[in-house]
Amino acid sequence: MKAKAIRMTRTGGPEVLEYVDVEVGEPGPGEARVRQHAIGLNFIDVYFRTGLYPMPLPSGLGQEGAGVVEAVGEGVTHVAPGDRVVYAGRPNGAYSALRTMPADILVRLPDAIGFETAAAMMLQGLTVQYLFNGTCQVKPGQTILFHAAAGGVGLIACQWARALGVNLIGTVGSKEKAALATAAGAAHVINYNEEDIVARVLEITDGAKLPVVYDSVGKDTFIHSLDCLQPRGLMVSFGNSSGAVPPFSLGELAARGSLYITRPSLAAYTATRAELEARAADLFAMVESGKVRIDIRQRFPLAEAAAAHTALEARRTTGSTILLP
């Protein structure tokens, strides 16, 4: 059967995203066919579109969606036709009204969570879950730094930190974004276009600096992030929206007090079915409790995926963005 989808035959700007008809086949062993109701937009999609993260071409794009299972292939038992499901992860191909996909990343969606909320929260919410409960176990009373605090991941992180009793310092690029991060629960907000990040961290912490910094910006903030860490602090570099971090000497870590550094990925923290289910259950519970609210601030028709990418790269989006088939 045919479905509308976004496909790319080359890497480049938003203009390489083509809205076309694709053939969607029956699910094979270990696969499911999902009729999608909402699709998540994430910065990792830009990395694949531009070629920063290589992938075979031609290809679909997108790693997050929510919908209803229409059919399953041999060996699939954890979901069945009619189930409401959500997912986040490879392979690319979420930008489609209908897709046949590996079933192992599908998670059944609680009735209390709608499709749009689910598609907007899964990748970003699971990211915060593993960052705070896997990469580093944050503790009540700690003060941490989280860059891009008014983005989709950032606003979830602000709320999650507040729920855990953690003092989150968020960085943003405007007064409007500062207000969003503060409302979401950031204890302090630094506008990097008006303030020096390192100087403000020293002021906030009375010179003690921080045990951990979460940085999804990359090139523009990397050294500043290192300079905000106390001896033996942890640098968590989990994205590069400003560009890839250039090569640097490990001596930089020694000079700043034996720092640790990690470059985590969601795939590594949801590598087993049990781990995926546990992290998803924690995320669902936070959302159902109201401690974390998913703020969808932009909705684009799937046909306008290129415009959505343009807005995302220009930092004109806040909160979460979804595509609607």
Side-chain angles (χ1 to χ4, degrees):
M1 59 187 72
K2 289 194 178 293
K4 288 292 187 181
I6 296 293
R7 289 290 183 268
M8 343 170 4
T9 58
R10 58 193 173 94
T11 57
E15 70 280 357
V16 305
L17 302 180
E18 301 178 58
Y19 186 59
V20 298
D21 289 311
V22 297
E23 192 69 34
V24 180
E26 293 298 316
E31 293 184 332
R33 188 173 70 238
V34 178
R35 176 72 60 179
Q36 304 208 119
H37 289 243
I39 299 155
L41 177 73
N42 298 283
F43 220 98
I44 192 171
D45 303 344
V46 174
Y47 301 157
F48 280 108
R49 193 206 73 220
T50 59
L52 178 63
Y53 290 0
M55 65 177 175
L57 295 172
S59 175
L61 195 63
Q63 299 197 356
E64 180 179 38
V68 176
V69 176
E70 287 192 346
V72 299
E74 180 184 351
V76 176
T77 58
H78 63 283
V79 294
D83 282 350
R84 302 170 71 250
V85 294
V86 63
Y87 65 90
R90 300 188 187 188
N92 281 307
Y95 289 14
S96 182
L98 181 70
R99 68 179 299 204
T100 295
M101 60 184 294
D104 61 354
I105 63 172
L106 295 174
V107 178
R108 279 186 286 187
L109 184 63
D111 291 339
I113 300 177
F115 290 121
E116 291 192 4
T117 297
M121 78 180 195
M122 196 63 173
L123 192 148
Q124 295 170 348
L126 285 178
T127 296
V128 175
Q129 200 285 336
Y130 85 72
L131 288 175
F132 285 179
N133 296 279
T135 305
C136 177
Q137 188 74 45
V138 294
K139 300 176 179 64
Q142 273 188 327
T143 301
I144 66 174
L145 182 67
F146 206 101
H147 289 291
V153 175
L155 289 180
I156 294 173
C158 289
Q159 296 174 79
W160 206 306
R162 178 171 59 186
L164 295 175
V166 172
N167 302 309
L168 183 146
I169 304 171
T171 70
V172 297
S174 69
K175 291 180 180 178
E176 294 76 17
K177 291 185 176 183
L180 287 174
T182 299
H188 304 274
V189 179
I190 300 171
N191 182 341
Y192 53 75
N193 285 319
E194 297 179 353
E195 303 171 283
D196 181 275
I197 293 173
V198 180
R200 280 289 289 132
V201 165
L202 286 169
E203 181 182 350
I204 292 166
T205 63
D206 292 326
K209 297 190 178 181
L210 304 165
V212 59
V213 171
Y214 294 99
D215 190 335
S216 64
V217 177
K219 177 173 63 69
D220 290 352
T221 53
F222 184 77
I223 296 299
H224 298 305
S225 295
L226 295 181
D227 288 338
C228 289
L229 285 165
Q230 61 195 32
R232 295 180 302 197
L234 175 63
M235 169 65 173
V236 183
S237 176
F238 69 102
N240 30 247
S241 60
S242 69
V245 175
F248 76 103
S249 169
L250 289 177
E252 297 284 349
L253 304 179
R256 289 170 171 82
S258 298
L259 301 181
Y260 294 87
I261 188 167
T262 183
R263 179 58 173 91
S265 69
L266 176 59
Y269 283 87
T270 54
T272 67
R273 184 76 206 171
E275 195 167 28
L276 171 60
E277 293 275 6
R279 295 196 187 283
D282 191 21
L283 171 60
F284 295 158
M286 290 293 281
V287 173
E288 289 181 285
S289 72
K291 293 177 181 177
V292 169
R293 298 182 183 275
I294 305 304
D295 190 9
I296 303 173
R297 290 183 162 259
Q298 297 82 211
R299 292 173 173 83
F300 290 85
L302 178 59
E304 297 178 15
H309 273 235
T310 297
L312 182 65
E313 289 183 278
R315 302 189 181 184
R316 295 200 304 267
T317 64
T318 54
S320 298
T321 304
I322 59 172
L323 306 175
L324 299 174

